[in-house]
Amino acid sequence: HVQLVESGGGSVEIGGSLKLSCTASVAIFDAYSMGWFRQGPGEQREGIGCITGDGLITYTGVANGRFTISKDSAKNTLYLEMSNLKPEDSAMYYCARYRERSDGYRCYTAEAYFSVWGQGTQVTVS
């Protein structure tokens, strides 16, 4: 059973940058699409973007040109680089694995497509 562990969160000043990591317990990134999500206090969880097994990336409006998803399959690690951070970016950030194996087509960021979730890492911007 795969486990996902996020790290890299913390407190950062407005306008600062942060790079989050998501490490998987087994090699899955070439076979499955992965996604990044966030959930602010009192808000619903929202998708940031996803990356397919082949490396095709889809972003939602949340990314807004400030967030970048990448992965290092050799390290079983997914990344989310965030720049020009704003207070409204304060949230718990989650990575997740797609329910089905990657089929070469684009991925989608609706939560229903994902079945394995990490515990999250907190980002606070002030």
Side-chain angles (χ1 to χ4, degrees), residues 1-32:
H1 181 68
V2 62
Q3 291 184 319
L4 303 175
V5 179
E6 300 93 337
S7 61
S11 297
V12 62
E13 294 184 347
I14 295 172
S17 300
L18 211 56
K19 185 175 183 178
L20 307 182
S21 299
C22 168
T23 301
S25 58
V26 296
I28 59 171
F29 293 148
D30 289 340
Y32 289 88

Side-chain angles (χ1 to χ4, degrees), residues 21-87:
S21 299
C22 168
T23 301
S25 58
V26 296
I28 59 171
F29 293 148
D30 289 340
Y32 289 88
S33 293
M34 301 293 297
W36 279 104
F37 296 78
R38 71 180 186 184
Q39 186 171 21
E43 298 179 0
Q44 290 189 333
R45 190 155 54 188
E46 58 184 354
I48 297 170
C50 59
I51 181 169
T52 69
D54 294 330
L56 180 63
I57 301 172
T58 300
Y59 293 104
T60 69
V62 171
N64 198 22
R66 298 184 295 117
F67 294 1
T68 303
I69 293 173
S70 62
K71 65 178 179 178
D72 186 336
S73 296
K75 296 182 178 180
N76 293 341
T77 304
L78 177 74
Y79 301 102
L80 178 66
E81 293 185 79
M82 306 182 292
S83 62
N84 191 22
L85 286 164
K86 305 175 181 182

